[in-house]
Amino acid sequence: MKHGEPIDRVTRIQADWRRERPDLDTAPLGVIGRLHRLAGRLTDELCLVYGRYGLSEGEFDVLCALRRAGEPYERAPGELAAHTMVTTGAMTKRIDRLERAGLVTRRRSDDDQRGRIVALTAPGRDLIDRAFTDHLRNEHNLVDLLTPAEAQQLETLLTGWLSRLEEARTPGGE
């Protein structure tokens, strides 16, 4: 730790581990611990906005995936799961709730009568347009705690790290 740096919870945890296990390098805790704490805080801040619209984080994600699909704002449940990175089982529960709320509809696929299509309703589109506008305003406020240069540098670093991590975790990745 450099002179004048703030002492936070992660710094104290690292110091405790250095005292208890001086044989271990605790440097990764500085990055991972702070990212983990930051992710939790950011999720809390984002969920406040979703809650204003009566949505959970997952439901917001589903409505966004449908809205991003463009006209006619529909996708198959499996496609929605791929676009939101959740299991099809979790997707079914989200769709059920959104359908009960009148924000989406389900119908049989024209191409495959066994398949289903989930579509955004007009009230669903109105809600997600308002919620997403508020969401982006919130994200701007959160990112504005950084300077523009810091935000750009952080985005570059996170993009590279995530890309390498995802590449290493895919079949055939080294």
Side-chain angles (χ1 to χ4, degrees), residues 19-94:
R19 182 190 68 237
E20 294 300 314
R21 291 291 311 268
D23 57 309
L24 297 177
D25 176 11
T26 63
L29 285 174
V31 175
I32 303 295
R34 286 183 181 89
L35 279 174
H36 185 73
R37 288 182 51 77
L38 183 61
R41 292 290 306 271
L42 291 173
T43 297
D44 290 346
E45 293 293 325
L46 298 176
C47 286
L48 287 174
V49 172
Y50 310 147
R52 285 186 210 135
Y53 295 90
L55 300 170
S56 69
E57 184 177 25
E59 293 159 353
F60 176 86
D61 201 17
V62 169
L63 294 177
C64 282
L66 289 169
R67 182 64 173 92
R68 287 192 319 266
E71 292 265 11
Y73 310 112
E74 57 186 35
R75 295 183 192 264
E79 193 181 0
L80 276 174
H83 282 268
T84 58
M85 298 179 294
V86 298
T87 65
T88 53
M91 182 57 63
T92 299
K93 290 178 184 178
R94 291 174 182 176

Side-chain angles (χ1 to χ4, degrees), residues 51-154:
R52 285 186 210 135
Y53 295 90
L55 300 170
S56 69
E57 184 177 25
E59 293 159 353
F60 176 86
D61 201 17
V62 169
L63 294 177
C64 282
L66 289 169
R67 182 64 173 92
R68 287 192 319 266
E71 292 265 11
Y73 310 112
E74 57 186 35
R75 295 183 192 264
E79 193 181 0
L80 276 174
H83 282 268
T84 58
M85 298 179 294
V86 298
T87 65
T88 53
M91 182 57 63
T92 299
K93 290 178 184 178
R94 291 174 182 176
I95 294 168
D96 287 346
R97 185 179 179 292
L98 293 168
E99 186 175 36
R100 283 192 303 272
L103 302 174
V104 302
T105 59
R106 265 187 277 219
R107 64 173 172 76
R108 290 200 185 280
S109 170
D110 296 335
D111 301 332
D112 174 6
Q113 287 301 304
R114 293 170 299 157
R116 298 271 186 211
I117 297 294
V118 179
L120 201 54
T121 63
R125 181 176 172 196
D126 177 63
L127 180 75
I128 197 57
D129 281 351
R130 289 183 292 115
F132 188 71
T133 298
D134 205 8
H135 169 75
L136 272 183
R137 186 178 308 114
N138 188 35
E139 283 195 347
H140 276 283
N141 289 337
L142 293 167
V143 173
D144 284 349
L145 295 171
L146 302 170
T147 67
E150 287 170 335
Q152 181 58 58
Q153 182 181 22
L154 183 58

